[in-house]
Amino acid sequence: IALALEAGLNICGASLMLLFPRPILAYLSSAPSRTASDPNPASVCPTAIQLLRWLAALVYGLTPQLLLALPSSRGARDKRWIVYITLGAGEGALIVVMLWQALVRESGEGGLTRRALLGCVAGLTPFMVWRIYALAGRPEMLAESGPKRE
């Protein structure tokens, strides 16, 4: 159930990033010319929009791996190991970079706000902790379950 839920949330989030990048970036970012209480979608850099849409494409590209590791699929246990290690490595790298950016951020800089960066870290951390727990602490949780395919 967790993998299916995560896949569904990924699809929803990526769709929002793809279709509505400007308001998402305006909400998350800061520009020296505006205040946090007055987000201005027109001030969002076109490059940031392109990069957010690329991120959406990556999320779409990684989501099928979650679906292939559902319990009813053939070889689900092995697929889950690969999925958990791959996604965990990506989440770990993002968490480190986002924390670094939040800590060294200058107050007058544009880009994502410190609050947005820490919010992203807070959103990724539970998934990362779960993957570490499942891989290192309870690997039997990754064992195949559900109906067997012959």
Side-chain angles (χ1 to χ4, degrees), residues 11-33:
I11 291 168
C12 290
S15 296
L16 291 172
M17 289 188 289
L18 189 65
L19 298 173
F20 306 105
R22 195 173 297 277
I24 290 171
L25 289 168
Y27 177 75
L28 294 175
S29 64
S30 65
S33 62

Side-chain angles (χ1 to χ4, degrees), residues 17-18 21 25 44-57:
M17 289 188 289
L18 189 65
L25 289 168
V44 173
C45 170
T47 303
I49 291 171
Q50 287 178 320
L51 291 173
L52 187 63
R53 286 182 169 151
W54 291 1
L55 178 60

